[in-house]
Amino acid sequence: MPQLSARLLRLLAILFVALPPSRSAAGHHTTNNGDGRPSSPACSPADRAALLGFKAGVAADTTGILATWTGPDCCGAWEGVTCDAATGRVVALQLEAPLPKHRHYMQGTMSPSLAGLEFMETLVIRDMGKIGGAIPADMSRLTRLRELYLEGNMLAGAIPGSLGKLSSLQYLSLAGNRLDGQLPPELGAVSGLEQINVGKNRLTGAVPQSFKNLSRLAYLDLSNNLLSGAVPGFIGQFKSLALLDLSNNSFSGEIPASLCTLRSLTDLSLSHNKLGGQIPPQMGGLRSLNSLAIDGNMFVGSIPAPLLGLQKLWYMNLSGNGLSGPLPTGISSALPSLVSMDLSHNHLTGDIDQFFRSLSAAGHDASRSSNKLASQQVVLPQKLEHLDLSKNRITGVLPDFTRGAGLKWLDISSNAIGGQIPTSISKLSSLERLDMSRNRVRGAIPASMAEMVSLQWLDLSNNALIGRIPDNFTRLTSVRHASFRGNKLCGRIPQAKPFNLFRAAAYAHNLCLCGKPLPPCRKI
C-alpha cells in the first residue's frame, strides 16, 4: 500500500474537484433587520408541507437535525433549509451527518414529496447512512436543480432515467449507495453537467454512448462498480476533464489513444480492471497529470519513456501488471515532483544499484563531483516518500546512501538482490517500513540500523544473513512488526521490548538464535 501521506494528498486533490462550492445558496438565505440579526422570509406553505413529507418518511434521526423542523417558520429555524430572501421559497436543502458519522444517521426513505420543492437549486443528503429505498422518479420536476448530492446512504434500485430532464443540473453525485442496473442513457441529455460521481455502487453494463454529449465534464467518477465494456474513446473529447476514475470495475480492451489528449487531466485512475495491451507512449502528453494509477490490470511491455517526462506527477502506481524490460532510469530529473512510485508485482529487470543512482537527486553538490566517494553514493530526492519494487526480477546490490531523509516506505522484497546491507542504510532516517525479504542478501546485519528509530515494520526474512541481531536494536522501540526468519543468524535475540515479545515464528529457521521468545541461550 502507498505511504499514508501520499494517499492523503491524492484524496485531498480529489475532494478539491469533487466538492465545488455551493453557489445556489449564496445570496438567498437572509436579509438584515438593521440590528445585526438576520431576518427570514415567510415560509411557503407548499414547501413546508413538502419538507414535512420528507420528515414523515424518516423513522429515526440521531443527528438532531429534524428535531428543529417544528413550527411554521421553515425558512428561519429549520436546520439545513435555505430560502430565497424575497419569495420565501426553499432554494436549498442540505442535510449532512455531523461527526462522528458512524454515530449519526437518519433511517428511512427519500420521500417523493421533495419533488414539490419546485424552486430548489441545491439538494444534499450526505452520509446519512440509513436513508434507503429508491430515488423518486418525480425528482425530474426539480427543473431548477443545479446540485444534487445523495452520497453515503443506502439508496437502492436503478438510477431513474427521468433525471435526464434536470436540464439545469451541473453537479451530480450518487456515490456510496446500493444502486444497481445500468447508467441511464437519458443523463446524456443533461449537457451542462460538470461533475458525475456514481462510485461505490453496484452498477452494471457499459457507459452509454449518449454520454459523449457531456462535453463540459470536469469530474467523472464511475469507480467501484461492476461496469464493463471498453473505455469510451469519446472521453477524449472532454477537454475540461480534470479527474477520471474508472477503477475497480471490469473494463476491458486497451487505453484509447484519445485519452492521451486530455491536457487538463490531473488525476487518472484505471486501477483494477481487465485492461491490457501496452501503455500508450502518448500518455507522456498528459502534462497536467499529478496522479496516475493503472495498477491491477494486464498491461504488458516496457514502461514507455515518455511517461517519465511528466513534470507534475507525484503519484505513480503501475503495480500488478505484466510489465517487463528494464527498470526506468533518469527518474530524478524526469519526475521531479515524485512522492510515491509503485512498480511492484511485475516482471521488471535491472540492477538495483543503477536504479537508485537514477533516483539520486540531480546535481547534489556539483562541487564534489570529482570526489570518487561522493560519486558512488546516492542522495534520494527529498520529496520521495514511498517506493515499492517488490515481486519483480531485480538483481544487483544496494548502493551506499548519503541522504534520503524523506523516504518513509521502501519495499524491495521478492527479487534477486544480493550483496550486503550497507551500513549507510541508516541514512534513510525517516524510514517507517523496510522490507528486504526474499532476496539473496548476505553478510551481517549492520549495527548502524539501530539509528533508524522511526522504523515500525522491518522484514529481513528469507535471505542469507549471518552473525547476530545487533544488541543495540533495543533502541528500535517503535517497531511493531519484525521478521528475521529463514536466515543463518545465531546468538541472543535482543532481550527488550519489542524484540523479546514477537512470536517465535519471526526468528524461526535460523542457525542458533536463542532467548525470548525462543528457548534460553546455553550457558558457556
Side-chain angles (χ1 to χ4, degrees):
M1 296 293 294
Q3 169 63 29
L4 179 61
S5 60
R7 295 180 64 188
L8 180 60
L9 286 170
R10 182 171 180 263
L11 179 60
L12 290 173
I14 292 173
L15 288 175
F16 178 77
V17 182
L19 300 177
S22 175
R23 298 189 299 268
S24 56
H28 284 297
H29 186 38
T30 57
T31 57
N32 197 285
N33 286 325
D35 59 1
R37 292 184 299 105
S39 62
S40 58
C43 177
S44 162
D47 290 354
R48 183 176 180 275
L51 292 169
L52 289 176
F54 172 80
K55 182 179 180 179
V58 176
D61 173 25
T62 66
T63 70
I65 293 174
L66 298 185
T68 68
W69 288 20
T70 58
D73 187 11
C74 72
C75 289
W78 291 20
E79 185 175 344
V81 178
T82 303
C83 298
D84 185 277
T87 65
R89 303 306 299 260
V90 172
V91 293
L93 177 59
Q94 297 173 287
L95 307 178
E96 303 189 44
L99 297 173
K101 293 179 181 178
H102 68 279
R103 295 183 181 178
H104 298 99
Y105 61 86
M106 290 184 185
Q107 182 175 357
T109 58
M110 190 171 164
S111 172
S113 69
L114 290 178
L117 299 171
E118 56 181 308
F119 288 88
M120 187 157 57
E121 299 175 8
T122 297
L123 175 57
V124 178
I125 302 177
R126 179 182 284 135
D127 296 328
M128 288 302 176
K130 298 184 180 182
I131 294 291
I135 299 174
D138 285 352
M139 298 291 289
S140 61
R141 293 165 51 192
L142 301 175
T143 55
R144 292 176 171 84
L145 202 64
R146 292 195 291 170
E147 300 173 299
L148 178 58
Y149 291 90
L150 305 177
E151 304 171 326
N153 297 295
M154 292 178 63
L155 297 171
I159 299 174
S162 59
L163 295 185
K165 298 179 181 179
L166 299 176
S167 57
S168 300
L169 198 63
Q170 293 176 277
Y171 305 104
L172 172 65
S173 181
L174 308 176
N177 285 287
R178 300 179 178 180
L179 300 168
D180 55 27
Q182 300 189 0
L183 289 166
E186 293 88 344
L187 278 180
V190 189
S191 58
L193 273 171
E194 298 178 21
Q195 172 187 316
I196 294 179
N197 185 356
V198 292
K200 297 181 181 178
N201 281 289
R202 302 170 181 175
L203 301 172
T204 57
V207 179
Q209 189 67 19
S210 62
F211 276 33
K212 67 181 180 181
N213 300 320
L214 305 178
S215 58
R216 297 184 184 179
L217 276 180
Y219 181 106
L220 179 59
D221 188 342
L222 309 180
S223 65
N224 294 280
N225 280 287
L226 303 170
L227 298 169
S228 58
V231 175
F234 60 71
I235 292 179
Q237 302 172 20
F238 301 162
K239 300 305 180 185
S240 299
L241 197 65
L243 182 144
L244 176 62
D245 192 345
L246 307 181
S247 63
N248 295 288
N249 281 287
S250 294
F251 288 110
S252 57
E254 300 185 353
I255 297 176
S258 60
L259 259 64
C260 304
T261 65
L262 296 172
R263 297 293 186 258
S264 299
L265 196 65
T266 61
D267 194 294
L268 173 61
S269 181
L270 305 175
S271 303
H272 299 287
N273 281 285
K274 299 178 180 179
L275 299 170
Q278 297 195 359
I279 301 173
Q282 298 95 320
M283 292 186 73
L286 299 174
R287 298 299 182 186
S288 299
L289 208 60
N290 300 145
S291 175
L292 172 64
I294 57 174
D295 50 298
N297 283 286
M298 298 180 288
F299 293 113
V300 296
S302 60
I303 300 173
L307 202 62
L308 302 176
L310 299 174
Q311 298 286 302
K312 297 181 180 180
L313 194 71
W314 58 264
Y315 178 86
M316 175 189 283
N317 192 342
L318 311 182
S319 66
N321 283 287
L323 299 173
S324 58
L327 288 167
T329 58
I331 295 173
S332 178
S333 57
L335 299 172
S337 303
L338 195 64
V339 173
S340 176
M341 171 182 276
D342 191 341
L343 305 179
S344 64
H345 294 76
N346 281 291
H347 308 301
L348 298 168
T349 58
D351 187 284
I352 190 67
D353 177 80
Q354 293 180 5
F355 176 77
F356 272 112
R357 294 189 191 288
S358 77
L359 277 175
S360 188
H364 66 281
D365 193 353
S367 66
R368 297 162 53 196
S369 61
S370 60
N371 185 315
K372 184 177 180 181
L373 178 62
S375 67
Q376 292 176 346
Q377 294 178 327
V378 168
V379 179
L380 296 182
Q382 186 70 25
K383 291 182 179 180
L384 186 64
E385 295 184 2
H386 173 271
L387 180 61
D388 192 341
L389 304 176
S390 63
K391 296 188 177 179
N392 279 288
R393 299 173 181 176
I394 302 167
T395 59
V397 300
L398 289 170
D400 279 325
F401 297 96
T402 300
R403 187 171 68 249
L407 194 64
K408 297 181 179 180
W409 178 305
L410 176 59
D411 191 342
I412 54 174
S413 63
S414 299
N415 282 288
I417 297 168
Q420 299 187 20
I421 302 174
T423 58
S424 60
I425 198 169
S426 61
K427 299 294 184 181
L428 306 181
S429 56
S430 295
L431 268 186
E432 298 174 1
R433 182 182 180 112
L434 174 60
D435 193 339
M436 300 174 59
S437 63
R438 300 185 182 277
N439 278 287
R440 301 172 185 174
V441 181
R442 61 185 187 275
I445 301 172
S448 63
M449 291 184 69
E451 299 171 19
M452 304 171 72
V453 294
S454 296
L455 275 178
Q456 300 175 21
W457 178 292
L458 175 62
D459 196 336
L460 304 179
S461 64
N462 295 289
N463 281 286
L465 296 169
I466 61 173
R468 59 190 300 158
I469 301 171
D471 291 334
N472 63 352
F473 269 31
T474 54
R475 295 173 56 188
L476 301 177
T477 56
S478 297
V479 174
R480 298 293 178 263
H481 169 89
S483 180
F484 301 90
R485 65 180 289 131
N487 282 287
K488 301 177 181 180
L489 299 170
C490 196
R492 186 187 301 272
I493 295 167
Q495 293 299 289
K497 296 179 181 179
F499 293 95
N500 62 346
L501 298 180
F502 292 130
R503 293 185 178 182
Y507 304 99
H509 305 294
N510 277 284
L511 287 181
C512 51
L513 287 176
C514 57
K516 290 183 180 180
L518 299 182
C521 297
R522 294 179 180 177
K523 294 183 179 180
I524 300 176

